[in-house]
Amino acid sequence: MQSKVQHPPLSLIETWVWMMVESGNPQLQEKGRENLIAAFGSLAQANAYLQQVLRK
């Protein structure tokens, strides 16, 4: 039996994306990037997850 992958709440993911894209603060940008990679394994996987969730 496979266990379902648990992702962080969407609001937290959106905060990390904001930190990375719109904050304008290099330290926040890096922290947002690190958090997304830690949660998803890569930015590409985080992006794919967001696209899937936002299509619903």
Side-chain angles (χ1 to χ4, degrees), residues 33-49:
R33 181 180 175 280
E34 289 172 359
N35 289 342
L36 285 167
I37 291 171
F40 292 95
S42 72
L43 292 178
Q45 288 179 340
N47 186 44
Y49 174 76

Side-chain angles (χ1 to χ4, degrees), residues 5-52:
V5 175
Q6 292 284 13
H7 294 293
L10 185 57
S11 59
L12 184 55
I13 297 168
E14 289 172 337
T15 299
W16 293 339
V17 170
W18 175 87
M19 288 168 65
M20 220 177 84
V21 177
E22 297 182 31
S23 71
N25 179 318
Q27 291 174 321
L28 281 180
Q29 290 169 337
E30 182 61 24
K31 188 62 177 171
R33 181 180 175 280
E34 289 172 359
N35 289 342
L36 285 167
I37 291 171
F40 292 95
S42 72
L43 292 178
Q45 288 179 340
N47 186 44
Y49 174 76
L50 283 173
Q51 287 180 1
Q52 176 186 7

